[in-house]
Amino acid sequence: TEFLDLLRLSSIRRKIIAFSLVATLLPAITMGWVSYRNNLKVLEEKIRQELTSLASHSSRELVLWLDGKKDDVRVFASSYEVSENLEKITASGDDSAGSRYVSRLRDYLKSVEHRFPDYAELAVLDLEGHVVATSSDRQSSHEMPEGWQSLAQEGKVILGDPYRDDVLGTGVLLVAEPVRVAGDRCLGVLAAKLKLAPIGETLHRQVPSGSARLYVITKNGTILSSDPPLDGPPLSAGLPRDTATDLFTGSVVPLEFAGLRGTEVVGALDPISGTPWGTVAEKSRDLEYAEISSLRNVTLVLVGTILLGVGLAAWLLGLTLVRPLGRLIAAAGKVTGGDMSVELPIYGRGEVGYLTVVFNRMVARLRKAHEELDATNKALVRKNEELQHLSITDDLTGLHNRKHMNETVDNEFRRAERHGHVLSILMIDIDRFKNFNDARGHQAGDEVIRGVARVLNDTIRTTDYAARYGGEEFLVLLPYIGPDEAVKTAERIREAVERASLGAAGDVPGLTISVGVASYPDCGNDAEAVIREADLALYKAKRAGRNQ
């Protein structure tokens, strides 16, 4: 706090200014992000140019290579050995006579195949697709494309689909040229099975060692050849059809996809002119984006450092601003909950310190007012308790009065009816009380009444209930007590009063009581009936001689 006071940061306004200055660091974060995005775009453009250039250059080289092979086949097909022998074989109706020309044609094909190792097999086919002669000693299939006869008649080169020749044990591409004789008649075609392996060699010459992968794919994703070479037999690997479609459409360049090794790569495709294939150039995504990833990490570290600095500044501000306010809030909560013993320490000389002083003064005044109010409330509670007690108590005997008795008796009878248990009523009257009162005076009479009340309180159970019924009469309610036990209780009370010798003085004997007993449900179904029966029993006791 003293250090911040030296920096004149004791006021809330200055703290806000200081925090605003720290917040100016945020544009640096924004600039870092913008720089990262721009660098990412530059890198993506660089990768796009490199991949498209590599794929395009490789496609051009493959077009030149394939055109060269077409020219070779065209030369082979236009050879005099091929056209003359095929014409003689066709003209000869005798197989034995034509075998000599077939042998000469086969020898020519073998010599050509020997001089040109890029060809797996050379064969001459008639227009029905039958093999007239071949350079191979093993019979293999020649998968000519649909409509090849029409192309041959038109004098056009025939390019088949790549396939794996199981007899020759390699992947081949069939290139065929029509064989024509005098009169521009087409007698058949010379079909050359071009090995796919040289395509990989052509690709290899275009790529700096280890910098990228090049491969030729069909539109369904089949790999014709690749550099570096793939494991497994030719034409056995490929890309998913959806990936191949995206590459051929070129909607996203470069395209990110799962490469042939299962790792994430970026790639671009360039169509090979004159074919339904394309050359794909791909590079490892992680390697290509390593530089931008490093820049991103540096940016994140920078942002983290700035955030740490801002957090530290906010923490320091919290020590001098937020924490005092937090203490004020917590203290206000305690005061709201009724705790008036709160007194906050005062830190600093700024607005928060002054607010703390004012708060402490306010709490002191509230504490004083609360103590006065608490004392008043306690006095009111005592008065209310006294009033409540007076409202239900007979002021002479301290027993319950007639009003409270009526409510209690009604409640007990309802409970007895609800739960099916018994209860009894004792009606008690002091014998010859009027004569005693006339002879001794009202004060002596009042003392006798109080004495009987004391005996009742000392004799009955805590669960029993005694009330002054009126004048010198009393009522005792005995819950869960039947007639027999009620009579015993009545006799015990009578004996206790007799022993007390209430009012006895000189030649005046002590007063006694008479008791009438009635029980529920034997003597009635409600309080009024049972009390009436107890009252009748009381008068019966009086007529029978009292003290019974």
Side-chain angles (χ1 to χ4, degrees):
T1 301
E2 293 178 357
F3 173 74
L4 293 176
D5 286 339
L6 293 174
L7 296 178
R8 299 179 181 274
L9 293 178
S10 58
S11 68
I12 294 177
R13 180 175 59 84
R14 290 174 181 172
K15 288 184 177 70
I16 293 175
I17 293 174
F19 186 77
S20 299
L21 292 176
V22 175
T24 55
L25 294 174
L26 293 178
I29 300 175
T30 304
M31 293 301 297
W33 173 251
V34 171
S35 174
Y36 169 76
R37 294 297 302 172
N38 290 338
N39 287 331
L40 180 60
K41 290 180 179 179
V42 170
L43 180 61
E44 289 177 344
E45 179 63 20
K46 176 185 175 183
I47 294 172
R48 185 189 68 80
Q49 291 179 357
E50 289 179 353
L51 291 176
T52 53
S53 175
L54 184 58
S56 176
H57 185 69
S58 300
S59 292
R60 287 195 299 271
E61 290 297 318
L62 288 175
V63 168
L64 293 175
W65 175 81
L66 187 58
D67 287 344
K69 299 307 173 184
K70 290 179 182 178
D71 291 340
D72 290 344
V73 176
R74 186 177 298 111
V75 172
F76 301 156
S78 61
S79 168
Y80 179 77
E81 287 290 335
V82 174
S83 58
E84 181 184 23
N85 288 313
L86 179 59
E87 184 177 20
K88 290 181 179 179
I89 293 171
T90 304
S92 174
D94 187 353
D95 290 341
S96 59
S99 60
R100 179 163 57 90
Y101 303 113
V102 171
S103 177
R104 289 175 57 186
L105 184 57
R106 183 185 302 113
D107 291 342
Y108 171 75
L109 295 176
K110 285 186 176 183
S111 66
V112 172
E113 179 190 343
H114 181 72
R115 294 197 306 271
F116 296 91
D118 288 349
Y119 299 98
E121 180 184 358
L122 296 173
V124 175
L125 283 69
D126 61 20
L127 292 178
E128 298 297 326
H130 302 134
V131 177
V132 177
T134 176
S135 63
S136 176
D137 296 330
R138 294 174 295 175
Q139 185 176 1
S140 62
S141 62
H142 293 76
E143 298 183 8
M144 302 294 289
E146 185 177 352
W148 66 273
Q149 291 94 339
S150 298
L151 295 174
Q153 293 288 359
E154 295 172 3
K156 295 181 180 178
V157 65
I158 301 167
L159 186 66
D161 294 327
Y163 67 95
R164 173 175 170 77
D165 193 318
D166 293 329
V167 175
L168 300 177
T170 185
V172 296
L173 171 64
L174 193 142
V175 180
E177 278 283 342
V179 178
R180 295 184 175 276
V181 294
D184 202 26
R185 287 186 305 120
C186 179
L187 299 180
V189 295
L190 188 146
K193 293 182 180 179
L194 185 60
K195 296 178 182 178
L196 297 180
I199 296 178
E201 297 172 1
T202 302
L203 296 176
H204 180 72
R205 291 192 293 270
Q206 315 306 317
V207 186
S209 179
S211 63
R213 174 184 290 275
L214 284 172
Y215 47 89
V216 178
I217 65 170
T218 64
K219 289 188 176 181
N220 63 5
T222 303
I223 306 295
L224 303 186
S225 185
S226 171
D227 182 71
L230 297 173
D231 298 332
L235 305 175
S236 61
L239 296 177
R241 182 179 292 271
D242 292 342
T243 302
T245 300
D246 292 339
L247 286 168
F248 272 96
T249 57
S251 55
V252 179
V253 180
L255 180 70
E256 295 186 12
F257 58 95
L260 299 177
R261 303 289 184 183
T263 58
E264 289 296 318
V265 298
V266 288
L269 177 141
D270 186 75
I272 300 175
S273 178
T275 72
W277 316 318
T279 303
V280 177
E282 72 173 35
K283 293 185 176 184
S284 169
R285 185 187 184 283
D286 291 340
L287 292 178
E288 290 302 304
Y289 285 94
E291 181 180 351
I292 199 67
S293 297
S294 176
L295 177 61
R296 179 195 60 199
N297 294 337
V298 170
T299 302
L300 289 176
V301 170
L302 178 60
V303 170
T305 303
I306 294 174
L307 290 178
L308 181 61
V310 172
L312 180 60
W315 179 74
L316 290 174
L317 288 174
L319 291 178
T320 59
L321 179 61
V322 178
R323 285 176 60 181
L325 290 177
R327 285 195 295 268
L328 282 170
I329 293 171
K334 290 182 179 179
V335 172
T336 303
D339 184 3
M340 296 297 170
S341 61
V342 175
E343 185 171 358
L344 294 176
I346 301 171
Y347 297 105
R349 298 186 297 273
E351 289 88 343
V352 176
Y354 177 72
L355 182 61
T356 305
V357 172
V358 173
F359 178 82
N360 287 338
R361 291 175 182 173
M362 178 189 69
V363 172
R365 292 178 182 177
L366 287 174
R367 186 186 307 120
K368 183 178 179 181
H370 187 270
E371 290 172 353
E372 293 174 353
L373 181 60
D374 189 51
T376 302
N377 288 336
K378 288 180 180 178
L380 287 174
V381 169
R382 287 196 300 271
K383 293 296 182 182
N384 288 334
E385 290 176 350
E386 291 175 3
L387 289 174
Q388 176 66 18
H389 181 71
L390 290 174
S391 68
I392 64 173
T393 304
D394 177 64
D395 56 354
L396 177 61
T397 62
L399 299 177
H400 295 294
N401 58 21
R402 180 73 173 266
K403 178 178 180 295
H404 188 266
M405 180 204 74
N406 290 334
E407 295 176 356
T408 303
V409 170
D410 286 342
N411 290 336
E412 286 296 328
F413 267 83
R414 280 196 294 270
R415 183 160 49 244
E417 182 181 6
R418 186 165 58 250
H419 297 291
H421 63 74
V422 297
L423 60 80
S424 296
I425 294 290
L426 306 184
M427 291 297 295
I428 301 171
D429 185 74
I430 303 175
D431 296 332
R432 297 183 178 88
F433 179 75
K434 185 177 182 305
N435 295 335
F436 178 84
N437 203 36
D438 292 341
R440 294 293 183 91
H442 292 292
Q443 289 185 352
D446 290 345
E447 186 61 35
V448 169
I449 291 174
R450 281 194 290 269
V452 172
R454 285 194 297 271
V455 172
L456 288 177
N457 279 330
D458 294 340
T459 307
I460 63 176
R461 303 172 304 171
T462 56
T463 56
D464 297 334
Y465 176 85
R468 186 180 180 187
Y469 193 77
E472 69 275 17
E473 284 188 294
F474 300 89
L475 180 143
V476 176
L477 175 66
L478 304 174
Y480 305 99
I481 293 294
D484 295 338
E485 289 297 323
V487 169
K488 292 179 182 179
T489 302
E491 182 62 23
R492 188 165 61 251
I493 294 172
R494 185 198 64 78
E495 291 177 353
V497 172
E498 187 176 26
R499 287 195 303 271
S501 299
L502 298 175
D507 57 351
V508 179
L511 296 179
T512 60
I513 61 172
S514 297
V515 186
V517 181
S519 298
Y520 168 84
D522 295 346
C523 299
N525 293 326
D526 55 31
E528 184 178 354
V530 175
I531 291 175
R532 184 170 59 251
E533 289 298 319
D535 202 44
L536 291 174
L538 171 62
Y539 283 109
K540 183 178 180 181
K542 292 281 190 181
R543 290 193 297 272
R546 298 181 177 85
N547 194 25
Q548 57 184 289

